[in-house]
Amino acid sequence: MSWTRMGEGRGAAEQALEAILARVPAWAGAPLRYRAVSGGISNTNWRVQAGEGTDVFLKVPGRGTEMFITRDAAHEASRRAEACGFGVAVLDYLPEDGVEIFAFLDDFRASSNLDFLRPVVRHNAVRALRAFNDAPALTLTKTIFDMIEEHVGQVEAVGGRVPPDSAFLMRRYGQAKAALLASGLDLVPCMNDTLAGNFMLDGQDHVRLVDFEYASNNERAYELALWFDEMAFSAEVEREMIAAYWGRWTPQIHARTEVLKALGDLKWATWAMIQERVSTLDFDYYKYGTWKLSRARPLFHHPDWPRWLRLL
């Protein structure tokens, strides 16, 4: 992909980027050029060169993302990830724009689900997640219950689509919330967004975690549950990863994971119905949300659902 020089931006996305680049104090008067980086379904992503300096990465917040993302909290989480050894160096932060500027990981690439078919990648990812989850608490606490209930209200506010079995889904959600709260939550820093593209890999399969926009203190078991949602692992691999993270597999941890997998898919399906109404990005949010619900429903309808709740 070719570079665009500062001042040559034509579309709305490039002009929005250039307005932000002009406000970076360290780059005043420096020759700048940039190009788009693929990936992401909320923002536009960019690689930027400033003079003879090293390349950096930044993203421009997409329209409507302020409904879900507290940028100061995301920045705190990025710093926490850097400190725990599995994040990316944070070079600058523009709070008025909600824009973080990161070192560009030249020797790394975004992973895909296929990468996680290899045990070494899975285990390196678990070590990275565990390190972030074990980091000092974040300022923002936002549980999976807070997220779902916020999104349900937002869907109504923007006139988003509601699935025909919404009443059933919310009954199951209520059962899960009551059981999880009764069992007690282990609130720790969580990414809350463990899709494959947020794990960067180098040639030696070292892992770096990126994109902490949705990070908050949340139930620890949710981090692995959401990761399992995204990876579509087999039951055997999920058991392996639970043991790698927790040091053991137990029926109780398994039950907690299954219940939280259902809630994770419900959360992102509801998020997608909001994005369908407010986002300007070229992405099929309705299809994405429908896919998420197609994964949640078998869990909510599973014959073991009552037993899982009792085991929590």
Side-chain angles (χ1 to χ4, degrees):
M1 183 177 294
S2 61
W3 293 90
T4 301
R5 296 188 181 279
M6 185 71 166
E8 296 177 353
R10 295 187 178 181
E14 291 182 344
Q15 290 171 0
L17 171 67
E18 291 194 3
I20 290 168
L21 298 182
R23 290 194 286 273
V24 180
W27 295 341
L32 301 174
R33 62 178 189 165
Y34 57 85
R35 62 187 183 191
V37 176
S38 62
I41 57 175
S42 298
N43 315 283
T44 56
N45 302 324
W46 304 92
R47 180 173 184 166
V48 179
Q49 264 185 9
E52 299 301 319
T54 56
D55 292 9
V56 302
F57 173 86
L58 64 82
K59 62 180 63 176
V60 177
R63 191 178 78 177
T65 54
E66 70 280 356
M67 298 175 68
F68 323 113
I69 298 167
T70 304
R71 296 289 170 180
D72 288 348
H75 176 60
E76 180 189 29
S78 296
R79 292 286 189 187
R80 194 77 86 250
E82 179 185 3
C84 81
F86 289 96
V88 181
V90 185
L91 305 179
D92 205 349
Y93 175 52
L94 308 178
E96 66 277 13
D97 296 301
V99 170
E100 297 174 283
I101 301 175
F102 298 93
F104 196 91
L105 295 179
D106 268 311
D107 297 328
F108 285 74
R109 63 173 175 83
S111 69
S112 71
N113 287 54
L114 290 175
D115 289 305
F116 291 91
L117 296 177
R118 295 188 287 125
V120 64
V121 175
R122 295 198 298 269
H123 284 267
N124 286 348
V126 163
R127 279 191 285 273
L129 288 173
R130 182 72 196 235
F132 181 69
N133 299 153
D134 287 344
L138 300 168
T139 301
L140 176 66
T141 295
K142 194 172 189 179
T143 68
I144 180 57
F145 316 124
D146 299 324
M147 297 174 202
I148 289 174
E149 290 167 16
E150 178 182 69
H151 289 350
V152 168
Q154 289 167 334
V155 167
E156 182 177 359
V158 303
R161 303 196 214 196
V162 176
D165 58 346
S166 172
F168 167 79
L169 296 172
M170 294 310 295
R171 281 198 303 273
R172 284 291 196 253
Y173 162 72
Q175 293 170 355
K177 178 181 179 181
L180 284 162
L181 289 178
S183 72
L185 300 183
D186 180 11
L187 295 176
V188 301
C190 290
M191 288 184 72
N192 298 320
D193 193 13
T194 49
L195 75 165
N198 289 341
F199 296 83
M200 305 293 288
L201 297 178
D202 69 4
Q204 289 73 50
D205 293 324
H206 298 137
V207 169
R208 292 293 180 269
L209 303 174
V210 297
D211 196 348
F212 292 87
E213 292 183 320
Y214 293 91
S216 66
N217 300 319
N218 192 10
E219 159 61 32
R220 179 186 290 272
Y222 179 72
E223 193 85 299
L224 235 58
L226 184 63
W227 186 45
F228 292 171
D229 277 339
E230 295 292 344
M231 296 297 109
F233 288 144
S234 67
E236 292 74 21
V237 170
E238 289 189 2
R239 187 180 184 116
E240 170 198 342
M241 293 296 93
I242 286 172
Y245 183 95
W246 296 95
R248 67 198 187 283
W249 181 98
T250 69
Q252 290 76 21
I253 295 173
H254 169 71
R256 202 171 189 87
T257 303
E258 293 301 297
V259 170
L260 286 163
K261 281 165 61 178
L263 297 190
D265 276 327
L266 177 62
K267 182 263 190 238
W268 284 104
T270 314
W271 171 90
M273 297 305 100
I274 305 162
Q275 288 284 65
E276 185 192 23
R277 296 287 295 173
V278 304
S279 178
T280 59
L281 298 184
D282 183 17
F283 184 81
D284 192 340
Y285 291 102
Y286 180 71
K287 181 179 179 180
Y288 178 82
T290 300
W291 171 66
K292 286 292 187 181
L293 284 178
S294 74
R295 290 184 57 82
R297 288 188 179 104
L299 293 170
F300 283 132
H301 284 280
H302 199 285
D304 284 337
W305 181 261
R307 184 177 66 86
W308 291 338
L309 296 182
R310 290 194 299 271
L311 282 171
L312 296 180

